[in-house]
């Protein structure tokens, strides 16, 4: 009887790998670029069209009111600034893909070398911890104000948090979205003598797997009674506990000086935790809100003043024996709109790539990858069990052969 083992084939549901099921053509991608620019900077584009129309209406379409050297210098400065920022944003996207691959490689490196009894003992908790970790990373990346929670290894107690099974945190209906607002501050100032009271409540969180973690919810109560800031301990702690359980399964297997499994586990444990920390760091914003506000203000002012800094002439078109004249005003509106669309599209792409875990169409969905890894784990276990059954059947036949 053959005992040859084959790699299992994983059945991946449609939609979990978008690139395999959603194939955009060139027209759809081209249309998505201006749509992205309008979604991010619709007001600036509308301001450009309105400013060009006013300039045309006042009769200044053929006159350059603002010196063109000003716009040339602005183009040079913005070209360097946005170019370097775009390169850095693309690097962050690549770093996220690399760390995600390292995270799931470490998961397999921790789980697969265990014997089947050890895998059954740690599977539910390890898989649940992995799933919670990737969900936590997305919750932190969903809003730029949430990275303060992630830095303290907490997570926001928000509406999204409730939707994933956090009903155990009592009375969250009045909690502001993503925690603290201007009405819920931790004291008047960093040097204030007022210290908020710390209240710890038990917060059971339900999971789809057999494991259920009990994580405390931290509630900061201000003395003024103006509001509360609520957060829960991040799931990194549960990942550490799951890795400790794995090490407990390995220790009886190598009581002597042999350390093959231990060395493999120690390497992948450090890789597992390091990749999680790096992914969490990539969920933090790469630039400050002040810098983003400065870029937005500069782009807005540039878009509003551009029609007054260039001149447009009438265009005469001779085609099919007919004579057409395009007025200078229409030329001005088209030219300025095209210029600002390029700049706003580049800025929108940079903003999206700077946060590759925020949930955009081209972003990396760790939740889907975790679910696919869980499906692959089921296929792996079935293949291992089938191989063991084949091996047991072969050994039985070998024992019965001499008797015949």
């Amino acid at each position: 009887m053959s005992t040859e083992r084959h790699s299992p084939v994983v059945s991946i549901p449609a939609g979990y790998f978008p690139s395999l099921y959603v194939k955009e053509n060139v027209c759809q991608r081209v249309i998505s670029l201006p749509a992205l620019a309008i979604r991010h900077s619709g007001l600036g584009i509308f301001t450009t069209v309105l400013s060009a129309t006013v300039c045309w209406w006042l009769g200044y379409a053929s006159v350059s009111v603002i010196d063109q050297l000003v716009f040339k210098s602005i183009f040079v400065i913005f070209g360097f600034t946005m170019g370097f920022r775009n390169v850095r944003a693309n690097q962050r996207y690549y770093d996220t893909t690399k760390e995600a691959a390292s995270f799931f490689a470490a998961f397999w490196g921790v789980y697969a070398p265990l014997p089947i009894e050890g895998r059954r003992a740690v599977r539910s908790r390890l898989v649940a911890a992995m799933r919670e970790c990737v969900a936590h990373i997305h919750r932190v990346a969903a809003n730029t104000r949430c990275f303060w929670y992630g830095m303290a290894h907490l997570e926001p107690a928000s509406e999204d948090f409730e939707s994933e099974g956090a009903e155990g945190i009592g009375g969250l209906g009045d909690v502001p979205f993503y925690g603290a607002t201007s009405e819920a501050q931790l004291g008047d100032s960093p040097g204030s003598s007022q210290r908020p009271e710390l209240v710890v409540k038990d917060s059971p969180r339900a999971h789809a797997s057999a494991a259920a973690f009990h994580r405390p919810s931290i509630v900061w109560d201000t003395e003024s009674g103006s509001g509360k800031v609520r957060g829960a301990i991040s799931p990194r702690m549960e990942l550490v506990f799951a890795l400790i359980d794995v090490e407990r399964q390995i220790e009886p297997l190598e009581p002597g000086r042999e350390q093959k499994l231990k060395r493999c586990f120690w390497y992948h444990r450090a890789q597992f935790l390091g990749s999680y920390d790096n992914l969490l760091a990539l969920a933090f914003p790469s630039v400050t809100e002040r810098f983003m506000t400065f870029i937005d203000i500069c782009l807005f002012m540039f878009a509003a003043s551009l029609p007054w800094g260039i001149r447009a002439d009438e265009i005469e078109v001779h085609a099919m024996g007919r004579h057409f004249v395009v007025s200078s005003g229409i030329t001005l509106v088209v030219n300025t709109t095209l210029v600002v669309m390029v700049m706003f599209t580049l800025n929108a792409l940079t903003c999206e790539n700077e946060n590759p875990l925020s949930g955009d169409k081209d972003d990396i969905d760790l939740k889907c990858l975790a679910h696919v890894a869980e499906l692959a784990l089921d296929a792996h276990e079935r293949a291992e069990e089938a191989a063991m059954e084949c091996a047991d059947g072969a050994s039985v036949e070998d024992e019965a052969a001499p008797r015949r």
Side-chain angles (χ1 to χ4, degrees):
M1 189 174 183
S2 175
T3 60
E4 184 180 358
R5 297 170 60 182
H6 302 278
S7 298
V9 177
V10 183
S11 178
I12 303 174
Y16 279 88
F17 286 166
S19 60
L20 299 179
Y21 300 97
V22 181
K23 296 182 179 179
E24 293 181 333
N25 54 37
V26 177
C27 294
Q28 289 175 328
R29 288 193 175 274
V30 170
I31 293 174
S32 67
L33 293 176
L36 182 65
I38 293 172
R39 180 161 60 89
H40 276 263
S41 306
L43 179 61
I45 297 171
F46 174 76
T47 302
T48 301
V49 176
L50 179 62
S51 178
T53 304
V54 172
C55 183
W56 176 20
W57 180 65
L58 293 177
Y60 290 99
S62 302
V63 179
S64 178
V65 178
I66 304 176
D67 190 357
Q68 294 183 359
L69 290 177
V70 176
F71 290 100
K72 291 179 181 179
S73 61
I74 292 176
F75 263 120
V76 172
I77 295 173
F78 266 80
F80 278 107
T81 302
M82 298 182 69
F84 287 129
R85 184 183 169 201
N86 193 36
V87 170
R88 188 167 180 268
N90 291 331
Q91 182 64 37
R92 281 175 61 88
Y93 191 92
Y94 167 74
D95 291 341
T96 304
T97 59
K98 182 179 70 174
E99 293 299 334
S102 177
F103 179 82
F104 290 104
F107 168 77
W108 285 107
V110 167
Y111 180 82
L114 293 174
I116 187 168
E117 295 81 6
R119 295 200 301 269
R120 288 173 179 173
V122 302
R123 173 180 173 176
S124 60
R125 188 168 195 180
L126 184 63
V127 171
M130 176 193 67
R131 190 164 56 241
E132 279 296 297
C133 284
V134 299
H136 168 69
I137 291 171
H138 280 300
R139 281 193 291 267
V140 173
N143 193 298
T144 55
R145 290 175 292 177
C146 290
F147 79 97
W148 295 103
Y149 290 92
M151 291 174 65
H153 284 282
L154 301 174
E155 64 180 346
S158 66
E159 295 175 0
D160 290 344
F161 192 83
E162 287 185 35
S163 64
E164 296 194 17
E167 298 87 0
I169 307 177
L172 289 188
D174 57 343
V175 177
F177 187 65
Y178 283 117
T181 62
S182 59
E183 297 179 356
Q185 304 293 334
L186 300 182
D188 297 333
S189 64
S192 175
S193 59
Q194 290 183 328
R195 300 296 298 174
E197 179 185 357
L198 178 63
V199 181
V200 180
K201 299 180 180 179
D202 185 44
S203 171
R205 297 199 59 186
H207 298 274
S209 63
F213 300 149
H214 293 272
R215 294 160 54 192
S217 170
I218 300 178
V219 183
W220 297 95
D221 292 333
T222 59
E223 294 183 6
S224 60
S226 59
K228 297 179 180 179
V229 183
R230 302 176 189 258
I233 305 298
S234 77
R236 191 183 193 277
M237 176 178 62
E238 302 300 334
L239 179 60
V240 172
F241 290 157
L243 293 175
I244 291 174
D245 289 345
V246 174
E247 192 167 12
R248 288 198 185 102
Q249 297 295 324
I250 294 177
E251 287 176 349
L253 301 176
E254 295 180 336
R257 301 183 62 181
E258 188 176 1
Q259 294 184 341
K260 293 184 177 64
L261 284 176
K262 290 181 181 178
R263 291 182 182 275
C264 178
F265 169 75
W266 292 336
Y267 171 79
H268 288 102
R269 177 182 61 184
Q271 182 186 11
F272 208 173
L273 295 174
S275 299
Y276 167 77
D277 292 337
N278 292 335
L279 284 172
L280 184 62
L282 289 168
F284 299 158
S286 61
V287 294
T288 63
E289 291 290 340
R290 287 183 179 180
F291 181 81
M292 291 291 295
T293 303
F294 172 74
I295 294 295
D296 292 339
I297 291 176
C298 290
L299 286 175
F300 181 82
M301 296 300 294
F302 175 81
S305 59
L306 179 62
W308 303 87
I310 62 175
R311 51 178 299 178
D313 299 323
E314 291 185 351
I315 300 177
E316 296 183 0
V317 180
H318 298 274
M320 301 177 62
R322 304 184 65 177
H323 178 255
F324 301 94
V325 177
V326 180
S327 66
S328 59
I330 296 177
T331 305
L332 178 67
V333 173
V334 172
N335 289 342
T336 53
T337 302
L338 289 176
V339 171
V340 298
M341 281 296 296
V342 171
M343 297 195 67
F344 282 128
T345 301
L346 180 60
N347 183 62
L349 289 173
T350 304
C351 293
E352 293 293 337
N353 290 339
E354 280 179 338
N355 192 355
L357 296 167
S358 61
D360 186 64
K361 179 177 63 175
D362 289 334
D363 285 352
I364 300 167
D365 195 337
L366 297 177
K367 291 183 180 180
C368 287
L369 293 175
H371 185 78
V372 171
E374 191 172 354
L375 295 176
L377 187 144
D378 292 333
H380 174 268
E381 291 301 319
R382 289 194 296 269
E384 288 288 316
E385 292 176 359
M388 290 182 62
E389 291 177 359
C390 291
D392 293 340
S395 62
V396 170
E397 289 183 0
D398 293 340
E399 292 177 359
R403 299 175 184 177
R404 296 174 186 173

